[in-house]
Amino acid sequence: MDTFPFNREFRLKILAKCLDDKWMAGHAGVIKPEYFEQDEETAFAKALLEFRERYHRSPRDPMDIIELCGGEHSTFIMDMYELSEDWDLSLAADFAVEFARQQAAKLAILDGVDDIARGDINKVIERMKQVVTIGQHLDSPGIDPIQDVNEWLFDYWTDKVPTGWRHVDNVLEGGVTPAEMGIILAPQNRGKSMGLINLGYNAASLLMGLKVAHFSQEMRQQQVAKRYAARILFRFPQRDDDLYEYAEELVETARRFLKGQIRIISGKKTTGQIEAHLDALREEGFDFGLIIDDYPDLIEPIKHYSDKRFELSDIYEWMRGLAEEYNVPIWGASQGNRASLTKEIITLQDIAEDINKASIADIIISLCQTYEEEQTDQCRLFMAKVRDGKNHDVIQCKFYSEQQAIISVKVGKIAINKNGRDQDVEHK
C-alpha cells in the first residue's frame, strides 16, 4: 500500500516538477519512466524525457507531449500542466532523489530474482551499487575558484602519486592525481605489462610506500608475482637456481627497498567482482593508494552492445569512476593497432578497438621501441596525452626486459610526421 511521500499524489507532483526546465536540467538522469506505476504517468515521463533529449529543454506546450504520446492521455497531460502552476512542488523536489533510489531499488530486486536463481549474485550487487549512485552528482555544490582558493590551490600537488620515472614525473608535475586514470599504450608484446609492473613497484618502494592493488586479466597471479620479484631483485628466478636462497634474498631485499605492499588478484573479473575485491581489501586494512589493471579490455562489460567499442567505452568510463570512488589513481594498459607495430612514435590514433579511450583517460603514455632499440636495451616513453600538462614530450629510457626494469634517462622534444616517424629530436 502506498504511503506518503511516494503515493499517487507525490508521483504527480514529481512529474509536474519535471516541467520546470531549470530543475530538470539537474535531475534528467535521476527521473526515469519506469519509476512510475500507472500507464499515463509512464507515458508522460517517457514523452517528456524524449523531448528533452531532442531539444535539451522541457516542453512548454502540452500539445508536444500529447503528440509524442500518440494522442493518448491528453486530458491527463493538460491536467499536469495546470498542476505545475497550481501546486507547491517544494517537498516533491526535496524528495525526488530518495523517490528515484527507492523505485530503482525495487526494480533491481525484481530484475534480480532470475539472476539469484541462476546463482549470478554479482549482477544483483552491480544493480544495487548503481542505485546508490543515483543523484550523487547533486550532492556537491562545486567550488568557486576565487572564494574557495584555499580548498584547491595548496593541496593540488601534495597528493600526487609519482610514476617513479623521474623525467615523466617532471612532465606530470609530480605524478598522477587521485581520481585520475592513466593508460600505457603499446603494440602486442612490447612491454605494457612490464610498464605497469614498474609503476606498481615504484609506488610501493621507498619513494612513496603505498599499498598497490594489481589486477591481472591475462596472467596468473604467480606470473605477475614473478615479474615483481624480477623487478625487485633485478633478475628472474631460474629453474636450476637455489629457490630457497632466491626467496630469502627476495624477502630481505623487499624489506630494505619496499616500504609499501603489493597485492595481486588475477583472473577475468566483472566490474562487480573487482569492486568487491577492493572493498574486501579496505576492510582488512589494506588501504591501497594505487589501482592497476593490466588489461581492462578483458573486463566483462557492464552492458553488451552489438558494437564492441561501446562496451570498451563503458568499461573505461567505469574505471575512471572507480578511481574517483576510491580517490586513488588508476593505471591500465591498452593495445596499439597493427599499424603501431612499425611506427617509431605511437600516437592516440594508434589505439586499437575504441579511440574513445583517449577522451576518457587523463594520461596516455605510449611505449615505443624499434628493433634496433630492442637490441640495445632502449625504449622511449611518448607523452601522448596529458590532460593537465604538456603533451608530446619523449623520455628516453633503458629497457631491461630480463630484469623487468624501465629506467628513464632523459627527456626531449619531438616532431612527428604523418607516418609516426620522429624528427628533430632535441634532448634535455
Side-chain angles (χ1 to χ4, degrees):
M1 183 175 180
D2 283 338
T3 58
F4 189 79
F6 304 143
N7 55 16
R8 163 77 166 176
E9 182 178 337
F10 178 85
R11 295 196 305 272
L12 296 183
K13 286 185 175 182
I14 286 287
L15 290 173
K17 190 63 180 175
C18 289
L19 294 171
D20 181 338
D21 187 57
K22 186 178 294 186
W23 183 84
M24 194 56 181
H27 290 75
V30 173
I31 306 301
K32 295 184 177 180
E34 56 265 33
Y35 298 162
F36 298 90
E37 298 177 11
Q38 296 190 14
D39 290 345
E40 57 190 8
E41 299 170 7
T42 302
F44 182 90
K46 184 176 181 181
L48 187 144
L49 292 174
E50 183 180 340
F51 187 95
R52 286 194 62 87
E53 187 175 348
R54 289 185 185 182
Y55 306 109
H56 310 292
R57 62 176 176 83
S58 293
R60 292 185 285 269
D61 187 345
M63 295 307 298
D64 291 331
I65 295 291
I66 292 172
E67 177 149 349
L68 288 172
C69 288
E72 296 182 349
H73 313 299
S74 57
T75 301
F76 173 80
I77 293 167
M78 297 299 293
D79 288 344
M80 289 307 306
Y81 274 80
E82 289 184 18
L83 291 173
S84 70
E85 299 291 335
D86 297 338
W87 275 353
D88 182 352
L89 304 176
S90 302
L91 187 64
D94 287 344
F95 280 90
V97 172
E98 187 177 335
F99 162 74
R101 287 176 180 167
Q102 178 171 306
Q103 298 299 88
K106 290 178 181 177
L107 293 172
I109 292 169
L110 291 172
D111 291 343
V113 171
D114 290 339
D115 293 325
I116 293 173
R118 290 193 296 266
D120 194 354
I121 193 67
N122 288 310
K123 285 188 177 179
V124 182
I125 294 172
E126 183 64 33
R127 289 193 189 98
M128 294 308 296
K129 285 187 174 182
Q130 290 174 0
V131 169
V132 175
T133 65
I134 293 173
Q136 280 186 349
H137 65 287
L138 300 169
D139 294 339
S140 172
I143 62 171
D144 183 313
I146 310 303
Q147 300 298 324
D148 302 322
V149 63
N150 292 333
E151 295 184 22
W152 64 269
L153 178 59
F154 300 102
D155 295 333
Y156 184 77
W157 293 272
T158 57
D159 294 331
K160 287 200 170 190
V161 176
T163 66
W165 295 317
R166 181 168 65 89
H167 302 87
V168 171
D169 290 330
N170 287 342
V171 174
L172 298 178
E173 295 188 303
V176 185
T177 303
E180 286 188 336
M181 181 173 72
I183 293 176
I184 300 293
L185 172 65
Q188 188 175 6
N189 297 322
R190 288 286 180 86
K192 295 185 296 297
S193 297
M194 182 171 154
L196 295 176
I197 291 290
N198 279 259
L199 290 170
Y201 167 78
N202 291 332
S205 69
L206 294 175
L207 179 67
M208 286 296 291
L210 295 178
K211 290 181 171 68
V212 179
H214 188 128
F215 290 87
S216 179
Q217 307 300 329
E218 60 176 354
M219 289 189 288
R220 294 183 297 119
Q221 294 174 157
Q222 294 87 339
Q223 289 175 299
V224 181
K226 182 180 175 183
R227 292 183 176 219
Y228 270 112
R231 182 63 185 87
I232 294 167
L233 286 182
F234 227 61
R235 73 179 192 278
F236 275 109
Q238 302 297 323
R239 182 176 180 178
D240 296 331
D241 287 347
D242 183 335
L243 297 183
Y244 291 102
E245 182 179 327
Y246 186 93
E248 185 176 333
E249 185 180 355
L250 175 63
V251 172
E252 180 59 32
T253 304
R255 188 178 291 122
R256 296 203 325 264
F257 294 108
L258 287 187
K259 189 167 66 172
Q261 291 177 267
I262 299 163
R263 190 70 63 88
I264 304 162
I265 305 100
S266 69
K268 290 185 179 180
K269 296 289 187 294
T270 65
T271 56
Q273 287 172 327
I274 290 174
E275 290 180 25
H277 272 297
L278 291 172
D279 290 340
L281 289 175
R282 283 272 171 95
E283 287 176 11
E284 72 173 57
F286 191 87
D287 194 16
F288 51 86
L290 177 68
I291 301 172
I292 293 174
D293 193 291
D294 67 0
Y295 206 165
D297 290 27
L298 296 181
I299 295 174
E300 182 70 22
I302 300 165
K303 181 179 179 181
H304 289 281
Y305 296 89
S306 57
D307 194 329
K308 173 71 172 176
R309 61 194 173 93
F310 296 133
E311 296 179 354
L312 294 176
S313 291
D314 278 358
I315 289 169
Y316 279 79
E317 288 280 10
W318 166 81
M319 274 190 67
R320 198 169 188 280
L322 199 67
E324 293 179 5
E325 179 182 350
Y326 293 101
N327 196 36
V328 299
I330 188 166
W331 279 97
S334 183
Q335 192 160 295
N337 57 27
R338 185 177 300 178
S340 67
L341 286 165
T342 58
K343 283 192 172 183
E344 293 182 19
I345 294 293
I346 298 166
T347 65
L348 298 183
Q349 69 182 8
D350 298 308
I351 294 176
E353 296 279 4
D354 180 24
I355 191 62
N356 197 40
K357 298 174 189 176
S359 62
I360 298 168
D362 298 285
I363 297 161
I364 299 179
I365 301 175
S366 62
L367 198 158
C368 311
Q369 187 182 54
T370 63
Y371 175 78
E372 291 76 13
E373 286 171 329
E374 183 180 4
Q375 303 308 304
T376 55
D377 295 327
Q378 297 181 70
C379 75
R380 285 156 294 122
L381 298 177
F382 175 61
M383 308 302 290
K385 177 183 178 181
V386 181
R387 191 188 299 277
D388 191 21
K390 297 184 298 180
N391 295 303
H392 299 171
D393 277 336
V394 176
I395 289 86
Q396 293 283 339
C397 299
K398 296 300 292 182
F399 184 92
Y400 302 114
S401 60
E402 294 184 3
Q403 294 79 20
Q404 289 293 285
I406 299 174
I407 301 170
S408 68
V409 176
K410 55 187 175 182
V411 63
K413 287 289 184 184
I414 198 163
I416 310 166
N417 66 20
K418 64 181 180 180
N419 297 316
R421 302 289 178 180
D422 51 345
Q423 307 170 10
D424 305 323
V425 180
E426 179 184 348
H427 296 296
K428 305 174 186 176

